Amino acid sequence: MLRDTPNTIYLKDYRPPEFLIDQVNLRFELGEEETRVRSRLELRRNPAAEGRPAELRLHGEQLELLALALDGRPLDSTEYEQDNEGLSVAGVPDRFVLESEVRILPQRNTALEGLYKSGGMFCTQCEAEGFRKITWFLDRPDVMSRFTTTIVADQARYPVLLSNGNPVETRQLDGGRQQVTWADPFPKPAYLFALVAGDLRAIEGSHTTASGREVALRIYVEPENVAKCDHAMASLKQAMRWDERQYGREYDLDIYMVVAVNDFNMGAMENKGLNIFNSKYVLASPATATDRDFQGIESVIAHEYFHNWTGNRITCRDWFQLSLKEGLTVFRDQEFSADMGSRGVKRIEDVRLLRAHQFAEDASPMAHPVRPDSYMEINNFYTVTVYEKGAEVVRMQANLLGPEAYRRGTDLYFARFDGQAVTTDDFVQCMADAGGRDLSQFKRWYSQAGTPELTIQGDYDAARRTYSLTVEQHCPPTPGQPDKAPFLIPLAVGLLDSRGADMALRLAGETGAVQGTRMLELSERRQRFLFEDLPEAPVPSLLRGFSAPVKVRFDYSDEQLMFLMAHDSDGFCRWDAAQTLAQRVLLQGVADPDGAVPTGFIEAFREALSDRATDPALLTEVLTLPSESYLGDQMAVVDVEGIHRARERLKTTLAGELREELLALYQAHAVPGAYRPDAASIGQRSLRNLALAYLMQLDEAAIRQRCVDQYRAGNNMTDVISALALLADRDTPETAQLLEAFYRQWRDDPLVLDKWFSLQALSKRSDTLQQVQALLHHPAFSIANPNKVRALIGAFCSGNAVRFHAADGSGYRFLGDRVLELDGLNPQVASRLVRLMARWRRYDPARQQLMQAQLERILKTEGVSRDVFEVASKSLEQ
Ligand code: B3K
Ligand code: ZN
């Protein structure tokens, strides 16, 4: 290994900060060559810290120190020490002012962390530890300070100058420069600092809070995008209203700003009063954005807004507590989206994502608890476990408490901890206090990694008219955690009678019965629940609404699954039964590639296709086969090609058998009139495009023509891109022409071009890797732009299993090359890519060796980043 092994940071080593910073005054002079940052920090010793260290240690990276003064007295170079990670000043008093000036180079900042340029504008990204690339600071979330920020820049190039809080002063300076000052009255950690400078236009809105205060809402974009902000603005207003109603939370400043930038490492950032967004989650018009994009905007706008209370007013004590803000805020945005659209479908989408990615992470060398115990690079822990499993952990608490007590719990949390930096234990304690119950066992969800597995057995005793459910829980070992203690698991169950209706549920020893769903609480490794008074043997409906992030094993017959699929009153369980059935058929197809598809399965699909009563969006979910990667997760050794063949074959068989039904469905679900991204129209479009996808399996000229017609006629991007993606699976002159025409039409719209790159990366063509290689050199591609990397490289490696895992190792080599190319520019994005090889042990020996070789090659490369090092080395660990 050519680099020093990076330090591991441990939760158990947490100590309160030795100093606090009450007030921060910053002055930025933004220039084309360099930026100068002057800072004035009011520091004092933290009364809560033990001991009295002699020296002050501040974080700082890639800063060129120009001046340093303590209480107005310039320090000479013997009075401080500087290294690659910070600055130490010895012999400081109890209370003092530290002033500094540094030079930084935002124009050269390709890591997109700290202050950087995106196109013609300056912007920042400070979470988690980017502020230390701007100036010297105690860059840790438990240091909360009041910020006043002055920005000086050339007025013609950067007429709009923004920071957190409220604007206090604007001045014209000589040389065509402008100076603007912002003050944020709310103490905040440095990771919530933001600055933006650019030639931007604002679209304006307003919100009157429940208590009658006016809040100005502004979305800033580049001039050509002003017409694409209406959906984001409408979503913001809905989110503000919803948070007042559901959580009693009002916004606190007079102005709320959102800025869209093209170069951004993730989705968006909740900086106080000044959210900075990946333009993908702001800009939308019917012609350029799909239904998914519209939904994504609604949920990310809401997510960042909700952070104002869950993240900003109450923040994390340290980064191990990240899920305190992220798990809770994801749960909040999930519930918001459920209320705005189709609740049942939203739940299925969230579970699909969790199972596909989080369960996989839990079964990988990168598995970690919702509250990790250690990390090398915190940016590697913005994971589906911290976010999505974290949201499930909050949801379980809401399930265990019920809606009223959960609301009392959050009210208590806001009252008790407003203005503080706290822990996940603090959150759970509020729930325990509000619910009047002990949740200490529940806390294991935060500290133990891995996906618990429930093995459930049902026994009906006709003589006693009882039905027993015996539940065993087991959690597989994860790195550093060979044995797990039992979890407290809310398990929602129903019992269906022979007509498919919910039976009345009464547990032995209870008096009243519950109609419908019953929340069982598992706390032991093995537990038995006895239901009484049941006139006939029921079919159990288990884990309704996905009441806990666990796997359930129950020995259902195919008939029982079809019965649940047709009758269960719980939408999630209907979908889940269909998925389990499809999974069985598909895995059987892998084992026996020439075996016939069971007629019962085809008939179940036929019945579902002709079901006009069910919400089309839910039907789409039911009729969508499990993904290739999810199927791989269910096998002892992933059979990449076998899965692909079996899945394609099943789709073709279904399409052939159900051709007429699919055509009828396609016709019936055309959405008339102008495009609207409401739940009903989205459902219709998704069902119709799913029907078209099945039909395209048949390779009939007439159907292909329909697809081309849809492409040409589409009045919205959802229909256009669905059709083009299906056509792009075939290597024909017509496809090439359409792709070329699409490019010419949208060459000036980077977000639309991302879709164009993705659909080519996801193509079923056998030469897709060559296409992707060629597209790396396309003028519209840039490896420096994270959206482009995700659209082309990410899509190919994570969404095109059969090509990425090509037996000759070409896909792995491609990924290894891209990781090394990118690591020098942007470690965060490079590290995301390395993860795609973390699960190499799940494949056959030949593929294992090929992936392992790439990981080793990456690790041996000189100067590899801490981000990439951590993922590659943990992936290779035994
Ligand atoms: N809090 C940010 C994520 C920051 C990621 C830093 N690597 C977005 C969000 O979760 O809302
Ligand atoms: Zn978040």
Side-chain angles (χ1 to χ4, degrees):
M1 235 172 287
L2 292 165
R3 100 191 287 299
D4 292 342
T5 306
N7 287 337
T8 297
I9 320 278
Y10 295 93
L11 167 60
K12 64 175 164 45
D13 293 342
Y14 173 82
R15 301 281 175 280
E18 282 142 358
F19 293 88
L20 299 174
I21 305 176
D22 295 318
Q23 173 69 39
V24 184
N25 289 67
L26 299 171
R27 180 185 166 89
F28 288 80
E29 283 198 40
L30 304 173
E32 295 317 296
E33 302 298 323
E34 62 177 51
T35 286
R36 291 198 179 211
V37 186
R38 288 213 308 248
S39 126
R40 180 181 185 280
L41 309 179
E42 291 178 21
L43 290 122
R44 68 183 155 95
R45 287 185 191 273
N46 182 4
E50 320 122 36
R52 302 177 56 81
E55 66 169 33
L56 166 74
R57 172 77 183 165
L58 295 170
H59 300 111
E61 288 174 18
Q62 298 160 37
L63 307 175
E64 189 189 336
L65 182 60
L66 302 176
L68 189 64
L70 198 150
D71 285 333
R73 184 179 70 80
L75 298 182
D76 69 48
S77 58
T78 60
E79 292 174 287
Y80 60 87
E81 241 174 87
Q82 198 189 330
D83 55 45
N84 284 340
E85 289 177 355
L87 179 82
S88 308
V89 187
V92 294
D94 288 350
R95 190 180 278 274
F96 57 100
V97 171
L98 191 76
E99 287 163 289
S100 70
E101 180 165 7
V102 298
R103 187 198 332 258
I104 54 176
L105 304 172
Q107 276 81 353
R108 294 205 202 149
N109 181 351
T110 56
L112 314 185
E113 190 185 48
L115 178 67
Y116 65 94
K117 281 203 92 175
S118 175
M121 64 205 270
F122 284 92
C123 62
T124 52
Q125 171 54 36
C126 294
E127 189 178 357
E129 298 178 334
F131 191 73
R132 62 187 65 183
K133 293 178 166 181
I134 293 175
T135 189
W136 311 107
F137 208 72
L138 292 172
D139 189 7
R140 45 186 288 171
D142 55 357
V143 172
M144 298 174 82
S145 319
R146 281 198 180 78
F147 281 70
T148 298
T149 305
T150 298
I151 311 167
V152 178
D154 180 83
Q155 181 155 19
R157 279 181 205 246
Y158 311 102
V160 174
L161 304 176
L162 311 173
S163 192
N164 317 88
N166 301 310
V168 279
E169 190 196 46
T170 299
R171 260 201 249 168
Q172 310 310 314
L173 305 183
D174 55 10
R177 293 175 314 151
Q178 179 188 206
Q179 168 178 315
V180 177
T181 300
W182 292 79
D184 183 356
F186 292 94
K188 63 169 178 287
Y191 83 85
L192 290 172
F193 170 81
L195 174 155
V196 168
D199 183 8
L200 302 169
R201 303 284 178 281
I203 79 140
E204 316 231 354
S206 73
H207 172 82
T208 311
T209 67
S211 66
R213 277 191 322 104
E214 279 299 304
V215 181
L217 310 177
R218 264 184 225 149
I219 299 179
Y220 287 93
V221 294
E222 287 168 306
E224 64 270 26
N225 291 324
V226 279
K228 292 187 187 160
C229 302
D230 296 347
H231 183 65
M233 181 62 88
S235 302
L236 177 57
K237 292 179 186 171
Q238 298 270 30
M240 295 178 91
R241 190 65 67 222
W242 188 90
D243 213 17
E244 291 173 356
R245 213 176 39 235
Q246 297 299 320
Y247 281 84
R249 296 298 105 199
E250 279 191 19
Y251 186 61
D252 47 15
L253 289 163
D254 299 335
I255 174 167
Y256 189 85
M257 299 173 283
V258 170
V259 182
V261 307
N262 290 327
D263 302 279
F264 207 64
N265 282 343
M266 65 276 168
M269 180 63 213
E270 69 264 24
N271 317 300
K272 181 80 190 187
L274 178 56
N275 288 185
I276 299 182
F277 268 62
N278 186 326
S279 55
K280 177 177 166 58
Y281 292 107
V282 176
L283 306 178
S285 73
T288 59
T290 62
D291 292 337
R292 286 245 154 268
D293 296 328
F294 276 88
Q295 289 172 323
I297 290 167
E298 182 179 84
S299 94
V300 179
I301 287 270
H303 179 99
E304 306 310 333
Y305 174 71
F306 296 155
H307 266 316
N308 190 54
W309 275 95
T310 52
N312 301 3
R313 297 277 296 239
I314 304 179
T315 193
C316 305
R317 187 194 72 173
D318 54 74
W319 290 120
F320 298 101
Q321 318 296 328
L322 182 56
S323 199
L324 172 80
K325 73 179 178 77
E326 296 305 346
L328 176 55
T329 305
V330 171
F331 174 61
R332 278 150 56 67
D333 85 53
Q334 289 177 345
E335 286 297 291
F336 168 73
S337 294
D339 284 345
M340 295 297 116
S342 163
R343 174 166 284 274
V345 173
K346 173 66 181 156
R347 188 69 188 127
I348 290 167
E349 286 168 355
D350 291 338
V351 175
R352 206 191 265 284
L353 181 98
L354 189 85
R355 282 180 172 167
H357 300 290
Q358 200 282 322
F359 282 16
E361 184 163 87
D362 255 347
S364 84
M366 287 300 291
H368 53 274
V370 168
R371 185 194 58 209
D373 300 312
S374 68
Y375 59 77
M376 289 180 192
E377 170 52 61
I378 184 57
N379 282 323
N380 283 330
F381 286 80
Y382 287 74
T383 59
V384 275
T385 298
V386 167
Y387 275 64
E388 271 71 26
K389 186 176 180 180
E392 294 300 323
V393 171
V394 175
R395 183 181 295 275
M396 282 191 284
Q397 295 174 71
N399 283 342
L400 288 167
L401 263 65
E404 288 83 25
Y406 172 71
R407 172 65 195 266
R408 284 201 305 278
T410 57
D411 285 352
L412 182 61
Y413 175 65
F414 295 124
R416 197 180 274 176
F417 295 118
D418 187 14
Q420 298 182 44
V422 302
T423 64
T424 55
D425 282 347
D426 292 325
F427 177 80
V428 178
Q429 194 54 51
C430 291
M431 292 296 146
D433 292 351
R437 57 180 294 176
D438 180 4
L439 290 176
S440 40
Q441 184 184 5
F442 184 84
K443 285 193 201 163
R444 289 179 188 152
W445 281 107
Y446 288 95
S447 58
Q448 295 187 145
T451 308
E453 294 170 6
L454 306 184
T455 308
I456 306 183
Q457 217 191 310
D459 285 299
Y460 183 65
D461 183 333
R464 294 203 170 81
R465 294 162 50 100
T466 60
Y467 183 71
S468 72
L469 282 175
T470 309
V471 189
E472 279 179 57
Q473 56 163 303
H474 164 77
C475 184
T478 47
Q481 298 187 332
D483 304 303
K484 320 278 166 125
F487 291 89
L488 176 61
I489 302 175
L491 175 67
V493 301
L495 299 178
L496 272 60
D497 68 17
S498 51
R499 291 168 305 125
D502 278 322
M503 298 167 103
L505 307 182
R506 187 175 62 76
L507 284 171
E510 291 180 347
T511 41
V514 177
Q515 194 63 43
T517 304
R518 173 79 210 228
M519 193 68 78
L520 305 178
E521 289 189 14
L522 315 180
S523 55
E524 282 149 47
R525 288 190 201 279
R526 188 164 194 279
Q527 240 166 308
R528 188 162 170 268
F529 300 91
L530 189 69
F531 294 95
E532 295 185 329
D533 268 349
L534 299 173
E536 56 174 328
V539 177
S541 162
L542 301 170
L543 200 69
R544 283 188 159 177
F546 197 72
S547 57
V550 299
K551 294 180 184 171
V552 172
R553 314 237 177 273
F554 184 90
D555 197 10
Y556 285 114
S557 67
D558 288 358
E559 289 65 36
Q560 285 178 319
L561 288 173
M562 283 181 227
F563 180 79
L564 288 170
M565 181 177 160
H567 299 291
D568 202 321
S569 62
D570 186 81
F572 165 77
C573 284
R574 284 184 64 188
W575 168 77
D576 201 30
Q579 292 292 296
T580 309
L581 204 56
Q583 180 183 311
R584 275 187 195 173
V585 172
L586 285 160
L587 292 179
Q588 182 55 34
V590 179
D592 175 14
D594 301 317
V597 176
T599 42
F601 182 72
I602 298 174
E603 289 319 308
F605 253 63
R606 194 186 307 280
E607 210 170 299
L609 281 178
S610 49
D611 172 356
R612 294 284 180 269
T614 303
D615 170 12
L618 182 58
L619 217 48
T620 309
E621 296 293 344
V622 168
L623 297 171
T624 301
L625 299 178
S627 70
E628 291 183 20
S629 59
Y630 183 71
L631 291 165
D633 292 345
Q634 316 309 313
M635 299 186 74
V637 177
V638 183
D639 178 352
V640 178
E641 276 126 16
I643 291 172
H644 180 69
R645 268 197 303 270
R647 195 168 178 277
E648 288 303 305
R649 178 164 175 262
L650 180 59
K651 280 199 291 183
T652 310
T653 306
L654 289 169
E657 295 283 341
L658 306 171
R659 188 177 180 281
E660 297 316 311
E661 286 85 349
L662 287 163
L663 281 169
L665 201 72
Y666 183 78
Q667 237 109 39
H669 287 283
V671 190
Y675 173 86
R676 283 179 41 220
D678 58 280
S681 328
I682 291 175
Q684 305 240 73
R685 275 190 290 274
S686 61
L687 186 54
R688 188 164 188 259
N689 283 312
L690 183 77
L692 184 61
Y694 273 112
L695 288 164
M696 281 291 278
Q697 292 287 122
L698 297 175
D699 210 10
E700 288 177 22
I703 291 170
R704 261 200 315 279
Q705 190 52 48
R706 243 171 231 254
C707 200
V708 174
D709 292 346
Q710 172 172 320
Y711 171 76
R712 293 196 203 282
N715 69 340
N716 64 81
M717 185 50 91
T718 306
D719 288 342
V720 168
I721 211 79
S722 308
L724 190 59
L726 291 169
L727 292 163
D729 279 337
R730 278 167 189 73
D731 178 12
T732 64
E734 187 183 33
T735 303
Q737 267 170 19
L738 291 174
L739 284 171
E740 180 58 26
F742 185 91
Y743 170 70
R744 258 191 253 115
Q745 184 179 354
W746 297 109
R747 60 191 310 158
D748 296 324
D749 191 320
L751 293 174
V752 177
L753 289 186
D754 290 344
K755 302 178 200 306
W756 180 80
F757 281 112
S758 280
L759 65 87
Q760 295 180 79
L762 295 172
S763 166
K764 284 189 240 165
R765 289 169 57 157
S766 56
D767 65 345
T768 293
L769 178 55
Q770 282 104 287
Q771 301 298 323
V772 170
Q773 298 264 22
L775 287 169
L776 290 176
H777 305 289
H778 193 280
F781 183 80
S782 161
I783 195 129
N785 176 256
N787 284 356
K788 289 284 175 290
V789 172
R790 285 183 282 258
L792 186 63
I793 304 165
F796 176 77
C797 299
S798 70
N800 201 339
V802 68
R803 301 289 163 240
F804 171 59
H805 291 284
D808 64 359
S810 51
Y812 308 146
R813 219 165 26 247
F814 169 75
L815 180 56
D817 290 347
R818 301 291 77 74
V819 167
L820 292 176
E821 181 182 359
L822 200 50
D823 195 32
L825 293 170
N826 189 330
Q828 279 184 47
V829 177
S831 161
R832 294 270 158 181
L833 291 181
V834 190
R835 264 169 206 270
L836 302 174
M837 282 187 291
R839 304 183 70 218
W840 58 278
R841 284 197 181 82
R842 303 271 308 118
Y843 295 81
D844 53 81
R847 286 187 172 87
Q848 285 195 11
Q849 217 175 23
L850 291 162
M851 277 188 259
Q852 201 181 357
Q854 289 305 320
L855 288 167
E856 277 163 2
R857 170 187 169 214
I858 291 168
L859 216 48
K860 281 195 197 116
T861 303
E862 195 166 349
V864 68
S865 68
R866 183 164 59 201
D867 310 56
V868 164
F869 179 89
E870 178 171 32
V871 176
S873 61
K874 287 186 175 170
S875 301
L876 287 168
E877 259 166 35
Q878 274 315 310

